[in-house]
Amino acid sequence: VFLTLALGATTARANYDITRSRDLLYDVLYLNPGLVLSGSALMDSERQVGFGIGGELSLVYLGRRNPGLFGGLVVDGLYQFSGQRGRLMLGPVIGVSYFGLDGGYLVELSDKGKTVRHGGAVRLFATIGIVTIYARYNVLARAADSVEFGAQLKLPFPVWGR
């Protein structure tokens, strides 16, 4: 997988003029795999706290017409140790400069896959370099809402560009 990404990144970079640094950033489609570390709190009377680890994959386009604006799709998965449950979120991502917003469909599996809950999530994030910090609000049917804070390490690979 990483070999394919590296070869795609090399092909995409071959079309750039290295003397124009703007070409290295804009009008490019990026594939961003990453590691997610999080802490969360349920919004019920017990305020249960948990920690989790997971991964994220986003496909983001940075356009040339409005530098700094970006948009794309994101999918992330997270395993929370305290509740022994896994979550998966899929949806759009938009942003400007260092800041972004994503959200969408959220599904949670618990009790070794016996309990499935559906809902939605919205996440605000800030990215500097390969480090992203975020806050996300999760809403699931028949479950307490939760707030999640976390950090991600993401490596951008240009997969298409001029």
Side-chain angles (χ1 to χ4, degrees):
V1 171
F2 285 108
L3 180 60
T4 303
L5 293 174
L7 290 175
T10 303
T11 303
R13 284 191 193 123
N15 297 324
Y16 294 128
D17 179 357
I18 194 71
T19 62
R20 294 175 22 192
S21 63
R22 183 176 173 150
D23 280 347
L24 295 175
L25 297 175
Y26 299 108
D27 201 20
V28 177
L29 184 65
Y30 289 95
L31 184 64
N32 304 305
L35 173 68
V36 179
L37 301 173
S38 76
S40 64
L42 291 177
M43 304 300 287
D44 61 5
S45 60
E46 297 176 16
R47 299 274 193 237
Q48 298 175 21
V49 176
F51 296 97
I53 189 168
E56 178 183 296
L57 185 63
S58 58
L59 189 62
V60 177
Y61 177 74
L62 274 73
R64 183 183 300 275
R65 184 173 297 163
N66 294 309
L69 294 179
F70 61 90
L73 296 171
V74 63
V75 61
D76 76 358
L78 184 70
Y79 180 79
Q80 291 192 313
F81 297 102
S82 62
Q84 294 185 343
R85 58 183 177 251
R87 287 194 188 143
L88 182 71
M89 196 265 308
L90 172 67
V93 58
I94 58 170
V96 61
S97 186
Y98 302 109
F99 305 100
L101 174 72
D102 66 23
Y105 173 69
L106 180 68
V107 63
E108 178 181 270
L109 301 171
S110 59
D111 300 325
K112 297 183 180 177
K114 295 177 185 171
T115 304
V116 179
R117 294 186 179 95
H118 303 273
V122 63
R123 173 172 52 186
L124 294 169
F125 62 88
T127 301
I128 298 177
I130 64 169
V131 177
T132 298
I133 56 171
Y134 72 87
R136 176 163 58 186
Y137 191 78
N138 302 308
V139 177
L140 291 164
R142 300 178 317 277
D145 294 357
S146 65
V147 176
E148 182 179 308
F149 298 94
Q152 303 172 331
L153 293 175
K154 295 168 69 170
L155 298 174
F157 292 96
V159 293
W160 177 84
R162 291 176 21 149

